[in-house]
Amino acid sequence: MARDRFDLFIIGAGSGGVRAARMAGQRGMRVAVAEDAALGGTCVNLGCIPKKLYSFAAHYADSFAESRGFGWSHAAPSFDWSVLKANRAREISRLNGIYGDLMTNAGVTILRGRARLVGADAVEVNGVVHGAARIVVATGGWPVPPEVPGGDLAISSNEIFDLPVFPKRLVVVGGGYIACEFASIFNGLGAKVTQLYRGEQILRGFDREVRDFVAAEMKKTGVDIRVGTRVLALEKTPGGAIRVALADGSELEAETVLYATGRAPNTAGLGLEALGVALAPNGAVVVDEAYRSSVAGIFAIGDVIDRVQLTPVALAEAMALVDGFFGQGGRRVDYMHIPTAVFTHPNIGTIGLSEEDARARFLRIDVYRTDFKPLRHTLSGSGERTLMKLVVDAANDRVVGLHMVGTDAGETIQGFAVAMKAGATKAVFDATLGIHPTAAEEFVTMRTATVAS
Ligand SMILES: Cc1cc2nc3c(=O)[nH]c(=O)nc-3n(C[C@H](O)[C@H](O)[C@H](O)COP(=O)(O)OP(=O)(O)OC[C@H]3O[C@@H](n4cnc5c(N)ncnc54)[C@H](O)[C@@H]3O)c2cc1C
């Protein structure tokens, strides 16, 4: 027998769950959220935020080195891992508090504990069954454990933030954005980083030229990227390090091995199968365009539906869902113009289609690209270069892909995402004045297509 009945019961207080709860609560709905870990989910506790803080930390190494070219002299700086960890933990716990306050102030009931569906309108938390008119599964994802002998010696991105001792040598296994970001971060902080990826180039799914360019730039910074490499096994050495045996017969040793080879939707033990909720082979909840699962009254958003695993996407899905429940219902998520950044060193910023995807989708495309040494590096002594690229649908002149590899690429491209969402054509880019002297101005000064079809 359900003890109470909510208009909306959300499982998971991560990016999507918190946003849905707040929006529904602000509209006067009776809302509950169940969370069995820290409030804020992956993004706040084990993802975007701590990772970006560590990326900032790593960039200081470049700044110290580059400052000499601008006349600064200083003793060799040293880095204290324990200070960074403690300061990060303090900031994250401040954010946990803010997330709690945001929901409480919106009238949301926060239930601390693991939730399980026991009916299409009932959720059990800590032995208490709560009734709900609608249930939203927003349980996110979890790192897939390595399937090699000795795999338990490796850590996932969940553990990397709090390593007791900073590793002198780090092996990163994986070629996705999380693997690349941690390779860059730990390289910047002073570890000797080897990144192993079994595919032929890192960052599958990104624009091909961007992949090649960023791999070359990461190598310049010191990351030893080895593609086409398969790990056979991990084992502890008598000295306490981890030995990584590779398929080509070679071996590596490191204090820490990070596996970042993928994340799987968090649906195990939720009781979904028993209710007949359709799941994809990887466990993702199958939903339609309105985030409805195959069982009436049960919905899912965010990483658990495995569409696009990004915080702003989970937020947008949450807002579209709640708007459909309690608002006007006209809100749709635009999966076409998703801007995203990869916080490698240098960063990647990308919006819309890669050159390859645009070529497959449109009859004719034009490509504009430039790569150059940014002004700052004329004195900094750094050999870093910047790549910028526009992909245009030749039929209507619309810019359908925009890519950058370079300092602060994520910051640079956010405004361009607005232009692209508004349907900006290449002619509009051409008619826009640059801001001089910036790297970003190159996006409005490229005049000659390098590929015209
Ligand atoms: C290392 C890393 C870096 C990332 N960097 C970025 C980035 O730079 N930019 C970006 O946009 N995205 C980034 N992401 C992705 C981003 O974190 C996710 O897309 C986002 O958090 C998804 O939100 P969500 O609400 O779907 O799930 P989550 O934020 O994962 O929240 C799910 C919540 O559900 C809880 N939960 C699960 N099961 C239960 C249960 N049975 N009962 C109660 N609670 C439960 C979990 O504890 C968790 O708090 C990163 C991810 C990782 C791992």
Side-chain angles (χ1 to χ4, degrees):
M1 181 66 187
R3 177 190 272 187
D4 44 20
R5 188 165 173 85
F6 293 94
D7 297 317
L8 185 62
F9 195 107
I10 299 164
I11 306 179
S15 307
V18 170
R19 180 60 62 92
R22 269 179 61 203
M23 280 193 66
Q26 282 164 355
R27 286 176 152 94
M29 303 300 138
R30 282 204 73 207
V31 183
V33 172
E35 173 57 63
D36 70 340
L39 299 180
T42 304
C43 177
V44 171
N45 297 288
L46 299 166
C48 333
I49 302 297
K51 173 202 74 188
K52 187 76 190 284
L53 291 174
Y54 283 15
S55 175
F56 285 132
H59 274 295
Y60 278 101
D62 303 334
S63 302
F64 287 127
E66 292 170 9
S67 68
R68 294 184 190 280
F70 292 90
W72 292 94
S73 56
H74 43 79
S78 65
F79 167 66
D80 189 333
W81 174 236
S82 60
V83 171
L84 178 61
K85 281 192 299 181
N87 288 348
R88 179 218 85 230
R90 202 188 52 232
E91 173 56 11
I92 300 305
S93 87
R94 189 183 73 85
L95 294 175
N96 297 146
I98 289 177
Y99 275 82
D101 291 346
L102 284 172
M103 289 192 286
T104 308
N105 293 340
V108 174
T109 301
I110 303 172
L111 301 168
R112 305 310 303 261
R114 193 147 192 85
R116 196 171 55 91
L117 286 90
V118 290
D121 60 354
V123 182
E124 185 252 310
V125 186
N126 299 328
V128 179
V129 175
H130 304 269
R134 301 170 189 82
I135 298 169
V136 177
V137 179
T139 49
W142 200 249
V144 176
E147 281 183 358
V148 293
D152 55 328
L153 294 170
I155 59 163
S156 75
S157 62
N158 288 352
E159 292 81 49
I160 194 134
F161 296 108
D162 262 319
L163 282 177
V165 179
F166 187 81
K168 285 201 195 68
R169 296 163 300 178
L170 172 72
V171 168
V172 177
V173 184
Y177 82 90
I178 293 175
C180 294
E181 289 179 334
F182 283 114
S184 273
I185 289 168
F186 277 79
N187 176 63
L189 294 177
K192 182 178 174 337
V193 178
T194 310
Q195 184 179 356
L196 308 175
Y197 179 51
R198 63 181 180 181
E200 45 88 40
Q201 184 56 288
I202 58 171
L203 293 168
R204 189 160 57 87
F206 284 77
D207 183 272
R208 178 74 220 193
E209 205 173 5
V210 165
R211 297 167 70 191
D212 293 341
F213 195 90
V214 83
E217 289 298 320
M218 284 174 68
K219 283 182 190 165
K220 274 195 217 164
T221 67
V223 180
D224 179 6
I225 300 177
R226 302 190 194 174
V227 294
T229 307
R230 209 159 48 83
V231 175
L232 289 185
L234 308 180
E235 64 172 0
K236 201 104 188 156
T237 68
I242 302 168
R243 184 176 298 124
V244 183
L246 304 176
D248 66 3
S250 66
E251 288 181 346
L252 285 166
E253 266 187 32
E255 286 69 40
T256 305
V257 176
L258 166 67
Y259 256 77
T261 45
R263 293 172 62 82
N266 232 337
T267 46
L270 269 178
L272 293 168
E273 294 96 327
L275 296 174
V277 175
L279 302 179
N282 70 349
V285 181
V286 177
V287 291
D288 66 9
E289 71 296 339
Y291 308 104
R292 288 180 288 235
S293 77
S294 59
V295 172
I298 302 177
F299 303 78
I301 54 168
D303 283 7
V304 78
I305 64 171
D306 197 28
R307 276 195 189 159
V308 182
Q309 297 178 12
L310 290 171
T311 279
V313 175
L315 300 178
E317 290 170 348
M319 292 189 285
L321 183 71
V322 173
D323 188 50
F325 290 159
F326 310 120
Q328 306 297 318
R331 232 174 161 133
R332 289 275 173 275
V333 180
D334 174 4
Y335 291 97
M336 164 81 181
H337 294 104
I338 296 175
T340 185
V342 179
F343 298 101
T344 41
H345 296 200
N347 293 179
I348 299 171
T350 179
I351 311 164
L353 301 177
S354 65
E355 179 179 340
E356 297 72 35
D357 287 347
R359 199 175 296 289
R361 192 177 294 205
F362 302 114
L363 214 50
R364 290 184 304 117
I365 60 165
D366 295 333
V367 178
Y368 298 80
R369 56 96 60 206
T370 177
D371 75 277
F372 56 93
K373 181 177 198 167
L375 179 60
R376 173 186 177 145
H377 295 318
T378 56
L379 298 196
S380 72
S382 162
E384 183 180 300
R385 293 184 70 78
T386 293
L387 170 73
M388 287 178 175
K389 187 164 173 180
L390 293 177
V391 184
V392 177
D393 175 2
N396 56 17
D397 198 38
R398 274 180 73 165
V399 179
V400 293
L402 183 148
H403 309 277
M404 173 174 176
V405 181
T407 306
D408 289 331
E411 303 288 346
T412 306
I413 66 157
Q414 179 68 78
F416 288 108
V418 178
M420 286 171 64
K421 176 85 182 122
T425 58
K426 179 64 169 61
V428 170
F429 274 62
D430 292 346
T432 302
L433 296 187
I435 302 171
H436 188 69
T438 62
E441 68 179 317
E442 297 293 326
F443 273 126
V444 296
T445 57
M446 289 186 265
R447 292 288 183 268
T448 312
T450 51
V451 179
S453 42

